Amino acid sequence: DIFNYASQTRVWTDLGQNPNVVPPSVLPESNWTHFSGEWVVRPSPYGPLWRWIAAPATFLAGDNLILAVVLIKITLLLLLLVAAWMVGDIVARRGGSRSSGIIAVMWSPLVLWEGIGNGHNDLAMGALLVAAIWFWQRDNQQGTIPMVVAAALVKYTVVLVGPVIALGSWLREKRSDRVRTPIWWFIDSALIVVVGFWPFYAVRPIIDMARSQSNITLTSPLWLVQRQLDGRWGAEDIASIYKPAAIVLLAIVILWQLGVVLRNPDRMIGAVAATLTGYFLLASWQFRGWYLLPLMLVAAATNEARWIFRLSIWGVCCLGAYWLYIWAVPQWSWTADNAVQAGTVLTFVPIATLVALDMVFDAIDWLRRNQAMPVPPEQLAETGD
C-alpha cells in the first residue's frame, strides 16, 4: 500500500489533480505505476487529510520513488513517536507508569511491522485518535471531537467511536461550559474539514469509494462463513442475513458502551477500545491486520492489562496469519483458498474466544457480587429473618 500512497499523492503534488478522482495511471509509465498494482487504475480511497500528510514526501522526492517511500515511512515514524508520547502521558495522568505506556506502543510487533515496516496510514489515523483521548485526559474537552474528525479525514471508520468520545467529553466538561463546548466542536471541526479538503472540495468521489470498499468481503468472519457454506448457500444470500444481524449487534455494543460512559465517564478509553473491537469482530466485512493499529494505541492508553493482553494476542495472530498466507501452499501443498481460510481462523477465533470468556467471567463475577450484597435492615424486618 505504501507504493500506492506515493503514486496517489504524486498525482496531486506533481500534476495538481485530485487523487480521489484521478488514478495513478495518469503518471508516466514507470515504477510509480508498476508498483501500484491493481490501484493504478483506481483513485485513492483515503480521506483528504491523508493527502496533506503524505504530500511533503512526494513533493521532496520528485521522481525518486524509493525516496518518497522512505519519507512516508519517516512521516509515520514521527507520528508513532508523538502517539507513544501521548499514550505515556495519558497513562501517567491515570496513575500508571509513563514508560509502560510508551513501551506498550513502541514494542508492539504489529505496530512496528505494519505501521513502520509496511507503512500503513492507519497509524496516522490512530495518532489523531490518541490525540482526541489525550485532550480528554488533560480536561481540554474542546479538542476531542475535532481530533476525531481529523482522524476520520484519514480513514472514515473511526467515526464509530465519535459518539462515545463526545459523551465522555461532554460529561467530563464543566457544567458551565456544556453548552459552549459543542459549539466549538462544530466550529473547529468545520475548519479542519475546510482545510483538509482544500483545494478539491469533491465529497461525492470519497463517498462513492467508501461505498465501493464497504462492498468488498475478504479475510473477515463474513468471508469465512461464505467460504464454508459455498455450494450450499450463495454469498449474497449469506450476506443478506449476516450483515443486518452484525449491524444490530454492533449497535448494541455501541449503546452498551455509551451506557458505560454515562455511568462512569472515566471509563471512556476502555469504551473506545470495546467499540472498535466490536466493529472489527462483527461488521468489518473486509479485514487486514493493519486495521488494528488505532486499536493497539487505544489499548495501550487504557493502561489495563486485559486490553493490552487482548491486543497483543490479536496482533501476534495477525502476524502469524502471514506465515500461512505465504508458506502454507509451498510447504504443505495447500490450496491458496485453504491457506487464506486458515489465516482468517487464526486471526479471529483466538480473540473472539478470549473476549467471550472475559464476558462470561465478568457475568459470573457480577452475579457473585450481587449475591454477596448485604440485605438492608428494613428488608430483614419485613421478612422476619
Side-chain angles (χ1 to χ4, degrees):
D1 281 354
I2 196 169
F3 296 99
N4 299 332
Y5 301 158
S7 59
Q8 290 161 357
T9 308
R10 194 183 175 197
V11 168
W12 179 35
T13 56
D14 278 22
L15 303 182
Q17 299 190 52
N18 186 357
N20 292 118
V21 176
V22 179
S25 58
V26 299
L27 298 171
E29 186 176 355
S30 64
N31 285 338
W32 289 82
T33 54
H34 296 165
F35 284 122
S36 292
E38 62 179 300
W39 282 96
V40 70
V41 294
R42 300 174 65 187
S44 171
Y46 308 111
L49 195 58
W50 171 245
R51 181 181 69 236
W52 277 98
I53 294 171
T58 55
F59 179 79
L60 295 173
D63 194 38
N64 190 328
L65 174 61
I66 299 303
L67 179 58
V69 168
V70 170
L71 290 176
I72 291 175
K73 286 175 180 277
I74 291 173
T75 301
L76 291 169
L77 176 59
L78 293 175
L79 288 171
L80 176 60
L81 292 173
V82 173
W85 179 86
M86 287 190 293
V87 167
D89 192 56
I90 292 168
V91 170
R93 290 174 181 273
R94 297 178 69 80
S97 168
R98 182 184 301 270
S99 59
S100 296
I102 294 173
I103 288 171
V105 173
M106 297 301 296
W107 281 15
S108 167
L110 186 73
V111 169
L112 296 176
W113 180 265
E114 298 290 16
I116 307 303
N118 288 332
H120 288 290
N121 61 6
D122 301 74
L123 187 57
M125 178 181 73
L128 291 167
L129 178 57
V130 167
I133 296 172
W134 182 71
F135 278 120
W136 173 82
Q137 186 63 56
R138 292 176 62 91
D139 287 325
N140 184 349
Q141 307 308 327
Q142 292 182 6
T144 57
I145 294 303
M147 287 298 98
V148 174
V149 171
L153 291 183
V154 176
K155 297 188 79 171
Y156 63 88
T157 51
V158 76
V159 298
L160 288 171
V161 301
V164 171
I165 293 178
L167 180 61
S169 297
W170 189 77
L171 291 175
R172 198 161 175 170
E173 186 62 282
K174 299 175 183 177
R175 289 186 177 275
S176 59
D177 293 334
R178 285 185 178 178
V179 174
R180 183 190 317 164
T181 296
I183 297 174
W184 281 112
W185 286 348
F186 177 80
I187 294 172
D188 293 342
S189 298
L191 288 173
I192 290 172
V193 170
V194 169
V195 173
F197 271 90
W198 187 90
F200 309 110
Y201 295 101
V203 179
R204 174 56 60 181
I206 295 177
I207 295 175
D208 291 342
M209 184 59 70
R211 185 174 296 137
S212 174
Q213 288 291 103
S214 67
N215 289 329
I216 300 175
T217 304
L218 189 62
T219 59
S220 65
L222 170 58
W223 177 84
L224 188 62
V225 171
Q226 289 175 330
R227 296 305 302 149
Q228 288 295 308
L229 297 179
D230 187 33
R232 286 174 287 175
W233 288 62
E236 291 300 323
D237 294 331
I238 295 171
S240 67
I241 298 173
Y242 186 103
K243 285 185 176 182
I247 291 172
V248 169
L249 290 174
L250 177 59
I252 292 172
V253 170
I254 294 173
L255 291 173
W256 178 14
Q257 296 311 312
L258 287 171
V260 168
V261 174
L262 187 62
R263 290 191 300 271
N264 185 357
D266 197 49
R267 295 180 61 185
M268 190 202 75
I269 305 178
V272 172
T275 300
L276 288 174
T277 299
Y279 167 68
F280 290 129
L281 287 178
L282 296 169
S284 180
W285 321 133
Q286 178 186 202
F287 181 84
R288 293 287 189 270
W290 56 84
Y291 292 0
L292 294 180
L293 289 174
L295 181 52
M296 301 289 286
L297 301 181
V298 174
T302 64
N303 195 36
E304 295 179 19
R306 173 185 288 190
W307 276 114
I308 295 173
F309 178 71
R310 284 173 177 171
L311 268 296
S312 297
I313 295 297
W314 205 350
V316 168
C317 289
C318 288
L319 292 176
Y322 272 110
W323 194 94
L324 291 171
Y325 297 151
I326 297 170
W327 294 110
V329 174
Q331 291 290 330
W332 298 335
S333 300
W334 286 13
T335 65
D337 185 67
N338 286 338
V340 176
Q341 287 192 53
T344 306
V345 169
L346 179 59
T347 298
F348 285 99
V349 170
I351 183 61
T353 303
L354 185 60
V355 170
L357 287 174
D358 283 343
M359 292 176 67
V360 170
F361 292 146
D362 286 346
I364 293 173
D365 183 61
W366 182 83
L367 288 173
R368 285 175 177 172
R369 282 188 285 107
N370 278 270
Q371 289 175 353
M373 289 177 63
V375 180
E378 58 271 18
Q379 186 174 340
L380 286 173
E382 291 175 2
T383 59
D385 293 336

